[in-house]
Amino acid sequence: TRRTRLRYYLPIGCSVTQWLDEKRAKDDLAPTRLAASKNGLGLEAVACRDNGRKPPRLKEASFDACLVLGALGRAAARGGPDAAVETAEAALRALKPDGRLVFVEQEDAEPLLAAALDESDLVAECDARQEHGAILGVVRRAALKGGKTKGFKA
């Protein structure tokens, strides 16, 4: 089997919060922390709740950006469409106003993305496109409640 290695290309002094499932955390956390410390990066790992069915509790308005790679599809597979919406909401709440949520999801996740982003008061705007069997997008978190300007369309 082929393992995916996580790599971060960030300026010295940046910090990374990595959201891992329990199995992945056991395998990857120590080497990732070591690599981060050698490069002057801070690393915090947070675990999912309810055996991977619920997102971790993240401090609200504490991140400038969040990168989501297939998380909504995995959340829906474990806990249904509501789990995908809850995962997106957790990531959006963790963003500072005007922060960016960058996502890459499988093409078949379009209904999940629409459910998670179209009606959220935390979404100011969303720009997404389909490319090579995936949906790529950037969401800007609303600065104020109800600051939404457009919905999700891939």
Side-chain angles (χ1 to χ4, degrees):
T1 62
R2 187 175 174 190
R3 283 179 48 118
T4 301
R5 300 284 307 166
L6 300 174
R7 294 198 161 104
Y8 302 104
Y9 299 98
L10 300 168
I12 290 178
C14 286
S15 63
V16 174
T17 298
Q18 190 169 330
W19 173 348
L20 299 169
D21 63 36
E22 288 183 48
K23 182 185 182 313
R24 181 98 188 237
K26 287 177 187 173
D27 293 343
D28 288 349
L29 195 52
T32 303
R33 274 202 175 124
L34 180 62
S37 69
K38 285 181 179 178
N39 292 299
L41 302 174
L43 175 69
E44 173 190 5
V46 292
C48 300
R49 297 177 294 129
D50 194 19
N51 200 24
R53 289 182 197 64
K54 292 186 177 183
R57 289 188 177 95
L58 301 171
K59 185 177 176 190
E60 287 196 29
S62 59
F63 296 91
D64 295 309
C66 180
L67 175 63
V68 175
L69 302 171
L72 300 184
R74 286 192 304 277
R78 291 181 178 154
D82 289 344
V85 171
E86 186 179 350
T87 298
E89 289 287 315
L92 287 165
R93 279 192 309 272
L95 290 172
K96 295 175 183 175
D98 286 327
R100 302 302 195 268
L101 170 67
V102 179
F103 63 85
V104 179
E105 293 286 339
Q106 299 268 343
E107 245 175 6
D108 60 1
E110 185 173 355
L112 297 173
L113 287 162
L117 303 175
D118 277 351
E119 301 304 320
S120 175
D121 288 338
L122 297 171
V123 175
E125 63 184 308
C126 178
D127 183 29
R129 69 176 186 264
Q130 290 184 342
E131 196 171 295
H132 304 292
I135 301 172
L136 310 142
V138 178
V139 176
R140 183 172 60 86
R141 184 179 189 240
L144 301 171
K145 243 186 166 174
K148 185 176 174 142
T149 59
K150 74 182 201 184
F152 170 77
K153 293 204 190 309

